[in-house]
Structure formats: structure tokens, C-alpha cells
Amino acid sequence: MAETRATDDVRYAGIDIGGTKIYTLITTADGTVLGSGRKKTKSEKGFEGVMERVGKCLNEACEDADVKAADLRAIGVGAPSPILPDGTAVHAPNMPGWQNVPLVPALAERLGRPVYAENDVNAGTLGEYTLGAGRGARTLVGLFMGTGLGGGIIYRGELVTGENCQAAELGHMILQVDGRRCGCGHRGCLEAYASKSGMGRRFNYEIGMLGRPSRLEELWEEKDYSNVKSSVLQTCWEAEDELVRETLGEACRYLGIGAASLITALGPDRIVLGGGVFEALGTELLPLVESAAAAHTHPPGSFQDTRFVLAELGDDAVALGAMVHAREAAG
Amino acid sequence: MAETRATDDVRYAGIDIGGTKIYTLITTADGTVLGSGRKKTKSEKGFEGVMERVGKCLNEACEDADVKAADLRAIGVGAPSPILPDGTAVHAPNMPGWQNVPLVPALAERLGRPVYAENDVNAGTLGEYTLGAGRGARTLVGLFMGTGLGGGIIYRGELVTGENCQAAELGHMILQVDGRRCGCGHRGCLEAYASKSGMGRRFNYEIGMLGRPSRLEELWEEKDYSNVKSSVLQTCWEAEDELVRETLGEACRYLGIGAASLITALGPDRIVLGGGVFEALGTELLPLVESAAAAHTHPPGSFQDTRFVLAELGDDAVALGAMVHAREAAG
């Protein structure tokens, strides 16, 4: 069947541009990974410097997959910025010089193939929806707890980017009016409680100021706990460290209440929990999130229609989601 | 042009079934009102009793419009309950006996015309979107402050009912974890601050328990302030009553912060503020809501793409929205 073979031959690339590394996957149309590439971002080289690194990373991945870049049907990119319909990256706090930069035009010219870009967390959510823990769902909310708290929404198959192309910043929904200060400058954001940076502020206060004992003191040598590795949190959790258990419990309670508000507003049938903290401690933490959500959803019965699951794609989520985005856009 | 005349001749009914009254409009396809009917609900007569009253109200409206019920293309109904796809009304707290009642089948049989139903606040939001203050918007959030705080969401033309058919209960998003008790039993819901019932609890506390002076004492003869009329709030506001100004200010601040979370999550281009309190004091209160929203939206620039407006349809919103729903469903 020539048609089938023709489809089988189509190749895509998905590129995850992060603050520290660039990660590229070459895939078939159904998302099977044929090869990968990985390069340091070297974001200090500025926008053009990063674009050059993206090109090198794509070549590395193509070589690994034994695919010519010129044969790619389309290239999807996930970047840590809102992306406008014309492919402009509006602002990426971790990327020096990324202020209204022409991300898609620059890459399309450099790579010679059609390029489509999306915000990285949105891409990761789309990846889980299409190829991961969201398969079979109609409406999905993704919540990713790492340094920050990233979020994405798929409403009946469509990625919700908002009329402003900047929506689904779910870590900055406000759950505690006049509450804890968040990195964004506001107070009481979900991220101020349910993220490593938010938990770190509590660790700094409880250990540094109140002298509360915690195994974190031996396991984390820096004086600043605002970005403790997830593996260290895991070790402390498993050692039943009281402060870490309390703080992760609080984070999960807030995350569950945030999820409840999203169920109350949007009625998703699936909520995917991912990010470094859930990769390390997902089976322990998922029930905490779920029970807090169950206790705060309105009307109470509506909670039963939403299933909570752990993300499945790990580090591949953004690149795979970017590939799905490109596949849908390019046809 | 025969085609135009044929469309001009099509007639619809929109029926708003409320806890105290039933209100029916007969309209053309473009929503022009040709006649109306109004009956007490007499909800104590139970589901079948209310269905009979709906039939009488429709007849009254048809007579007023000089239209035969048999000539109606379709009938839309807004009811204070979640509505399942098969037309079941799940539960209506103000309507005795409404537990999983067959609303659409019962009315279709009684009225002999195609019937389509939607939750009343969702219908009101759809009405504003199509025929009122939401005209020209793509994605819209409706927030209606009365006894409770009702909400509705239109995402790119589609009413968001959720996979559970119970979504957009925006008054029960949680803004203050462990905060004020809400009528729903949870704590810290938006409605616990931004509704007449929520404000009433503060009035009861401040006047009844702390003895704080307020003109409410002379203007509202009941000892219980939990459902003060909007016109009385208006009089107190205009007299610069300190307690009423403070409490309405607080309600608007919470409403604005709730709106900010919805902008952060969904990026709507329009937010419509309605309900009795805004009908009475809209021009005074809208700037308070807007400034609280501006101060809490993330990223800050994304706020500029959302326009805040006052609802335009008043008491007609639900019936007109129900008519629009029926028109879209029936074609």
C-alpha cells in the first residue's frame, strides 16, 4: 500500500529550547522517536547565538536518526516564552535578549523547513494529551511542579492560548488573597506554595530563621534552599523528614485546591501532574493532590468525572508536544 | 426575496425558569422581542406543577406576540440546575423535588415543539455574548453578582459546560484557602466575598455583633442582612455609608482578583459584569473590579487584551440566551 508507506516515511522534528539545554527529537508521524540531540543552550550568547545552537542540535539529532534535515516535513519548537501568531517570542525571563524576538522566522530561514512554535509548557501539555498520560481525554489540565508551577489547558482538543496568546499561566492563579509573595511580584499565587521556589522560601524561613531541624541541612550544601533538587526532596521524604513532609504536603494541598478551582471552572475529564517533583515522588504525592481537590470542587459530584494521572513523557514531553503542534499545523 | 422573508418569519421562544418567577420571550431569529409572558413559579408545587406553569407562561407570551406556539421553530429554556445532554436537570437547590428530573422531555411533550435547555447562568452569558455586552468578543467570561455569584464562560464561540456538564461555577473558585465560609460548605470561595449573601454575613457580624453603625439598620428592617436588596445597597452607597462602601469595595476587589485568575488561565478578550448589584451600581463598581484585576493578572501585560464591560440585557439575558441556544441547536 503505497499511501501507507508514504505516511510512514514522513519525519518531523520537535525541539525543546530550555534555559540550560536544547533537546531535539526526530520522530515519525505517530511520534515514534528515531533519534535525538542535546546541546547546552549557552543563553548568554543572546538570541542569534541560541539560534545557531538550535541548528547544531537539530543536525546532531538528524545524524542520530539517519534523516536529512531537508526531508523533515516540519519542525516544532517549544520555547520558554509566550509566542504570538506570527512566531514572535514575547519575553523569556531566563534567556538574555529575548524581547520580542522573531523566533519562527529566524529558525525557518536558518533551517530551511516550515517551523511552528509554542510556549514550552503548552507544548508539554499537548505532548501528554496526544502521546502520553492524556490519551483518550477530551479536556485536560496539565500542572507541572518544578522550580515554578507550569500549566497548560487543552479544551476539547484545542490548546488554550487565550486571545492574548499568554494564557494558561496556571501557577499564577491566586489562591490566597494577600498571601505569600510569589516570584512574579504578586501575592498568594499557586506557585508561591506549590513549586520548588515557593517551598524553598518556606525552608529558608523555617531552617534559616527559626532553626528548625531538617535533613536538608546535610543534604543540600547551599545556604539557599530556593531550588533544592527533586532527588534531595525525595531522599528527605523517604527519611520521613518532618519539615519536608509538611512542606510538600502543603504544596500538594494548594495544588489540589488549584485543581479544584479549575475543575469548578472548566470541568476537565483529566488532570495530568508532572514536572521534577512528581517524577521523583509522584505515587506518594498524587493522592494528596487528589484528596485536596475532592474536598474543594463544586458541585461536589462534579469531581468524580475528573481523573488525576501522573505525566508519562518526562523530559520528552516538550519536544514531543512541539512535534505534535508542527504536525497539526503543517498537516 | 423569498428567502429573506422565510427567515424573517421564523419565531423562537426563550424561557427563564427562576425560583420565584417564570419569564418568557417570543423573538424573531435575530433576537428581536415580539412579546413576553410572566408567571409566578410556585415551585412548591413540585416539578410537574412548574412544568404546567411554564406551559401557561408560554401561552401568555405567544398571545402577547400574536404567534401560535405550534409555529415556533424551537423553544430554549434556562433553568437553575446543571443540565445533562439528554435534558435532565440534575439538581436545583431552590426548586423542591428537582432531582434528576426530565426537564427537556417533559417540556417537549407538553409544548409539542423542539426544546433545548441550558443552565440559567450559562444561558445568560450566551445571551450577553450574542445579543448584549459581549457582541464582537471571541472568548468571554460572565460574572453575575446577586444573591450568589454566577459565572459563565464562552470559549471561542462555544459555551463551556465541561465534560461533567457542571462547569463554570465561577463563584466557587477558591480565592482564599481556609478563608470565609461559603453557602456551599467550602471555605474561601469567591462567592463568600463577592455576593449579597457573602456581604450579608459581614453585615451581620459588623452590625449585629460589633455594633458598627450603618444606614442599613434603618433601611433594612429585617435583622438578617444576608439578602439585602441591591437598591438598598445603592442608597447606602450614595449616602456614603462607610460599612457598605467598605464591604462592596472588598467584594469588588475579590471579584477583580477572581477575574484576574480567569484572565491568567483563559485569556478572554471580554469580561461582562452583571447581576442585581451591577445593575444598581455598575458605573461605580466597574472601575474597582477592573483595577483589582489589573493588579493581579499574570503576565501583567496580558491584562490589556481584556475589556471589562457592564451587562446590557438585564432581566432578559437568560430568556434571550436560552433562545440563542435553541436557535443554534435547532438551526
Side-chain angles (χ1 to χ4, degrees):
Chain A
M1 296 188 345
E3 293 79 5
T4 308
R5 248 182 287 127
T7 305
D8 283 355
D9 283 350
V10 175
R11 299 291 178 261
Y12 294 88
I15 308 180
D16 175 2
I17 305 179
T20 54
K21 72 169 200 292
I22 299 164
Y23 180 53
T24 299
L25 295 175
I26 306 297
T27 76
T28 62
D30 67 3
T32 304
V33 175
L34 303 174
S36 64
R38 194 184 293 258
K39 284 254 174 287
K40 283 188 182 155
T41 305
K42 300 193 176 170
S43 62
E44 70 281 4
K45 295 194 171 185
F47 177 67
E48 281 302 331
V50 172
M51 293 300 95
E52 197 188 325
R53 309 281 301 165
V54 170
K56 286 185 179 164
C57 188
L58 178 68
N59 288 339
E60 183 184 310
C62 283
E63 209 164 298
D64 186 45
D66 200 15
V67 165
K68 286 182 192 149
D71 290 339
L72 294 168
R73 171 73 60 91
I75 297 168
V77 177
S81 164
I83 308 288
L84 300 184
D86 68 358
T88 299
V90 181
H91 64 93
N94 300 326
M95 309 286 268
W98 285 50
Q99 286 287 339
N100 293 310
V101 289
L103 177 63
V104 168
L107 282 178
E109 194 185 333
R110 180 180 293 273
L111 308 176
R113 302 303 305 144
V115 173
Y116 303 89
E118 188 43 83
N119 169 269
D120 54 1
V121 186
N122 286 348
T125 303
L126 183 62
E128 291 289 348
Y129 181 78
T130 311
L131 301 170
R135 285 191 309 270
R138 292 191 77 203
T139 295
L140 175 149
V141 171
L143 295 164
F144 302 90
M145 183 152 58
T147 307
L149 193 283
I153 301 170
I154 312 276
Y155 179 71
R156 301 199 168 164
E158 192 183 337
L159 194 58
V160 171
T161 55
E163 304 308 325
N164 52 26
C165 303
Q166 304 192 44
E169 290 279 355
L170 305 181
H172 299 283
M173 294 178 67
I174 288 170
L175 256 68
Q176 193 82 61
V177 170
D178 300 326
R180 255 186 233 166
R181 173 76 59 181
C182 179
C184 76
H186 293 153
R187 292 178 63 182
C189 297
L190 174 56
E191 180 171 295
Y193 301 84
S195 71
K196 289 200 292 177
S197 59
M199 289 188 282
R201 267 182 234 110
R202 180 168 165 187
F203 295 142
N204 286 343
Y205 171 70
E206 297 238 14
I207 299 171
M209 191 157 157
L210 303 184
R212 186 164 172 190
S214 167
R215 292 207 57 191
L216 279 174
E217 282 184 286
E218 354 160 356
L219 292 168
W220 190 249
E221 295 188 355
E222 299 174 29
K223 286 281 177 211
D224 180 3
Y225 296 97
S226 61
N227 203 8
V228 174
K229 277 190 183 167
S230 297
S231 58
V232 171
L233 293 177
Q234 184 181 7
T235 305
C236 291
W237 176 279
E238 285 164 359
E240 302 193 17
D241 184 84
E242 193 182 84
L243 175 61
V244 167
R245 287 222 166 186
E246 247 183 60
T247 305
L248 274 165
E250 180 184 66
C252 289
R253 179 167 183 251
Y254 273 82
L255 189 59
I257 296 173
S261 285
L262 288 159
I263 296 171
T264 297
L266 297 173
D269 49 348
R270 194 83 51 93
I271 291 188
V272 174
L273 303 175
V277 178
F278 282 96
E279 282 167 32
L281 283 161
T283 51
E284 307 280 344
L285 302 184
L286 184 135
L288 305 182
V289 178
E290 206 172 353
S291 67
H296 292 85
T297 301
H298 182 90
S302 67
F303 173 76
Q304 293 150 12
D305 297 301
T306 308
R307 196 148 65 84
F308 283 69
V309 295
L310 295 174
E312 291 175 2
L313 302 181
D315 283 348
D316 290 354
V318 175
L320 284 175
M323 168 267 159
V324 170
H325 176 61
R327 185 185 73 186
E328 290 178 357
Chain B
M1 296 190 342
E3 290 81 4
T4 309
R5 247 182 288 126
T7 306
D8 283 356
D9 281 351
V10 176
R11 299 291 177 262
Y12 294 89
I15 308 180
D16 175 2
I17 305 180
T20 54
K21 72 169 200 292
I22 300 163
Y23 180 53
T24 300
L25 295 175
I26 307 296
T27 76
T28 62
D30 68 2
T32 305
V33 174
L34 303 174
S36 65
R38 193 183 295 255
K39 285 253 174 287
K40 283 186 182 157
T41 305
K42 300 192 178 172
S43 63
E44 70 281 2
K45 296 194 171 186
F47 177 66
E48 281 302 332
V50 172
M51 294 300 94
E52 196 188 327
R53 308 280 302 164
V54 170
K56 284 185 181 165
C57 187
L58 179 68
N59 288 339
E60 183 184 309
C62 283
E63 206 163 300
D64 187 44
D66 200 15
V67 166
K68 285 181 194 152
D71 290 339
L72 294 169
R73 171 71 60 91
I75 297 168
V77 176
S81 165
I83 308 288
L84 300 184
D86 69 358
T88 299
V90 181
H91 64 94
N94 300 327
M95 309 287 268
W98 284 50
Q99 286 286 338
N100 294 310
V101 290
L103 177 64
V104 167
L107 282 178
E109 194 186 332
R110 180 180 292 274
L111 308 177
R113 303 301 307 142
V115 173
Y116 303 90
E118 188 44 82
N119 168 269
D120 53 359
V121 186
N122 285 349
T125 303
L126 183 61
E128 291 289 347
Y129 181 77
T130 311
L131 301 169
R135 285 192 309 271
R138 292 192 77 204
T139 296
L140 175 148
V141 170
L143 295 165
F144 301 90
M145 183 150 60
T147 306
L149 193 283
I153 301 171
I154 312 277
Y155 179 71
R156 300 197 170 164
E158 193 183 336
L159 194 58
V160 171
T161 55
E163 303 308 326
N164 52 25
C165 303
Q166 305 192 39
E169 290 279 355
L170 306 181
H172 299 282
M173 293 177 69
I174 287 169
L175 257 68
Q176 192 83 61
V177 171
D178 302 324
R180 252 185 236 167
R181 173 77 57 182
C182 179
C184 76
H186 292 154
R187 292 178 63 181
C189 297
L190 174 56
E191 181 172 294
Y193 300 84
S195 70
K196 288 201 292 176
S197 59
M199 290 189 282
R201 269 183 231 110
R202 180 167 167 187
F203 295 142
N204 286 342
Y205 171 71
E206 298 239 14
I207 299 171
M209 190 155 156
L210 303 184
R212 186 166 172 188
S214 166
R215 291 206 58 191
L216 279 174
E217 282 185 286
E218 356 162 354
L219 292 170
W220 190 249
E221 294 188 357
E222 301 174 28
K223 286 280 177 209
D224 180 3
Y225 296 98
S226 62
N227 203 8
V228 175
K229 278 191 183 166
S230 297
S231 59
V232 171
L233 292 177
Q234 184 179 10
T235 305
C236 291
W237 175 279
E238 285 165 358
E240 301 191 15
D241 183 84
E242 194 183 81
L243 175 61
V244 167
R245 287 221 164 186
E246 250 182 58
T247 306
L248 274 165
E250 180 184 66
C252 290
R253 179 167 183 252
Y254 272 81
L255 190 59
I257 295 172
S261 283
L262 288 159
I263 296 171
T264 296
L266 298 174
D269 50 347
R270 193 85 49 93
I271 292 188
V272 174
L273 303 174
V277 177
F278 283 96
E279 282 167 32
L281 283 162
T283 50
E284 307 280 343
L285 302 184
L286 184 136
L288 305 182
V289 177
E290 205 172 355
S291 67
H296 292 85
T297 301
H298 181 89
S302 67
F303 173 77
Q304 294 151 10
D305 297 302
T306 309
R307 196 149 64 85
F308 283 70
V309 296
L310 294 174
E312 290 176 1
L313 302 182
D315 284 347
D316 290 354
V318 174
L320 284 176
M323 168 267 158
V324 169
H325 176 62
R327 185 185 72 187
E328 290 178 358

